[in-house]
Amino acid sequence: DPAICKEATDNSTTIIIVLCSLVGAGILALVLYFFYKRYKSFQAIKKAHEQLMESTLNEATRCLQQLDYPLHLIRADEFVNDKQLTQHEVMRNSHRLTVLDNIKDVDAFVLAGKHVVFFSHQWTAFNHPDPGNLQYNFMVSALRELAKEKGWNEDLKDIFVWVDYSCIPQANASVQNLAIRSLAVYASSATYFIVCAPDTHHTDLNDVCDLSTYQRRMWCRAEQVCHSLRNGTGGMFLAKGKPGAFEFSPVQSDFFTESLRVFHGELTCCRCEHKGMEMCDRQSLVVPILGLYGELLRAAHDGFKTGGDVSAVNAFLSEVQKHQDDVFPEKFNRVMWRKNKRVVEEVVLFGDLIERMRERIKKGTMFVAGERGFGTESTKSSDFLRHGKNDFIRHGSLPEEAEGNGKGEDVA
């Protein structure tokens, strides 16, 4: 019967349409669910990124306010009598290290009339900083020249030395990393900074080590920048030359032109392509360098509001802004070895942290949980200005005593 056939056909068509509609709705629901999950995943990643950035900014502000590992110093007369650079653990076990547990102690130590001399140098062997003892001899000569120039007592008992091999743990990697995290504070807390770069040979590489190779090292650049950003260059000296031809002089202003490009410096970990390592040493310096930059921004911002003279700080910030990509690289290429395969990967270094720090300063939301008190807003910028030097950044835990020193000295 044609009518019955037509009815059956119509029913089949209806069933097909309903089935197609159900399948289409199911597919649409799956697509919508997929995009919803992608959206939620994106939001979670974005939130995690925001939390990481905020955490990094907080850590950058905090790291310059406290020590992750105490500052260890050697009294200069004992340093001279040692006749060589002595490993930290030997110095510790013989009770010949002066230990300052926090920044407040460091400030009080300096205000009591002690001079802290930071020696910055390059290692001339993979497992020993100075196998030929030449750098040590130049350090001793530099101490005596500095004492003579400043009119200090020749017994050197009021001078205390910081040098990496003796003042940073060498045997325990975990504790060593804590000390390295505090390196920026060590360098910026010193009252004097001496670059020790005599002409010598690298025992393992059979290369010549001199001032030019020193300036190419990332850690050496970082130490210079960490000290000079807070103290200026007035207390920085250069010890160089050849055996029997010792030269000692203040550093010139153009000495730091290349040093500002800290993250373009050479590293042993990069030479070894990070075998057995999880990260590059460049990454460990982001937080302290960011913190120093934040302090300078805040000093300039607050100085503008109060009418203070921060022209030198503004000049430096202007120079940094011109070369921001070089001074604060957003990313870098890192070579790693995974499952015996050489992998080159792009890794975020500063990303947008510089812009975020600037925004924080403008809003006045630079917070820390520091040693000097509670988890409140970071110490105001005027407290960081070196006493008598309004263009330098400095610790300021004891401003009343410092202002009342009255000696006309470079109080740090």
Side-chain angles (χ1 to χ4, degrees), residues 384-401:
F384 285 100
L385 297 179
R386 187 175 180 180
H387 305 295
K389 302 283 186 178
N390 61 8
D391 54 344
F392 300 145
I393 305 300
R394 192 63 194 151
H395 296 305
S397 61
L398 299 171
E400 295 83 9
E401 292 90 336

Side-chain angles (χ1 to χ4, degrees), residues 46-252:
K46 184 179 179 181
K47 183 178 179 180
H49 175 73
E50 289 295 320
Q51 290 175 340
L52 177 61
M53 294 299 99
E54 288 301 304
S55 175
T56 302
L57 289 169
N58 290 335
E59 179 67 10
T61 308
R62 181 205 65 81
C63 77
L64 296 175
Q65 302 302 311
Q66 68 182 54
L67 296 171
D68 287 322
Y69 187 78
L71 174 62
H72 289 69
L73 301 170
I74 315 162
R75 209 170 70 184
D77 58 328
E78 295 185 354
F79 178 78
V80 170
N81 291 334
D82 278 346
K83 308 301 181 185
Q84 62 179 355
L85 294 179
T86 305
Q87 186 173 321
H88 173 82
E89 286 73 15
V90 175
M91 298 292 293
R92 179 198 63 197
N93 294 342
S94 57
H95 307 290
R96 289 188 292 141
L97 290 170
T98 297
V99 181
L100 303 174
D101 291 303
N102 53 58
I103 293 177
K104 186 174 181 179
D105 289 347
V106 176
D107 291 335
F109 187 75
V110 173
L111 287 169
K114 309 302 181 184
H115 309 288
V116 178
V117 178
F118 187 104
F119 278 113
S120 177
H121 70 111
Q122 58 192 320
W123 281 40
T124 54
F126 289 151
N127 297 315
H128 195 280
D130 186 33
N133 230 31
L134 179 62
Q135 291 189 93
Y136 167 80
N137 291 331
F138 270 59
M139 290 176 187
V140 170
S141 298
L143 279 174
R144 287 174 171 152
E145 284 293 324
L146 182 63
K148 181 180 178 181
E149 181 175 313
K150 299 297 179 181
W152 298 336
N153 196 314
E154 292 183 2
D155 63 14
L156 307 180
K157 289 185 178 180
D158 284 332
I159 306 172
F160 289 77
V161 169
W162 187 96
V163 62
D164 54 3
Y165 190 58
S166 301
C167 300
I168 285 183
Q170 303 297 314
N172 186 311
S174 298
V175 180
Q176 184 182 70
N177 286 333
L178 289 176
I180 290 173
R181 281 170 58 93
S182 301
L183 188 60
V185 184
Y186 298 160
S188 62
S189 296
T191 47
Y192 294 92
F193 186 101
I194 299 177
V195 173
C196 185
D199 297 354
T200 184
H201 282 84
H202 193 287
T203 304
D204 297 303
L205 297 176
N206 200 29
D207 288 340
V208 174
C209 293
D210 54 18
L211 184 58
S212 64
T213 60
Y214 167 88
Q215 280 290 66
R216 293 201 296 266
R217 300 293 296 166
M218 191 199 77
W219 285 111
C220 297
R221 292 182 180 187
E223 290 167 353
Q224 295 172 50
V225 168
C226 289
H227 180 84
S228 61
L229 288 190
R230 267 192 164 162
N231 302 278
T233 59
M236 302 185 76
F237 296 85
L238 175 61
K240 63 175 184 175
K242 299 178 180 180
F246 172 75
E247 300 175 31
F248 185 75
S249 62
V251 297
Q252 300 300 313

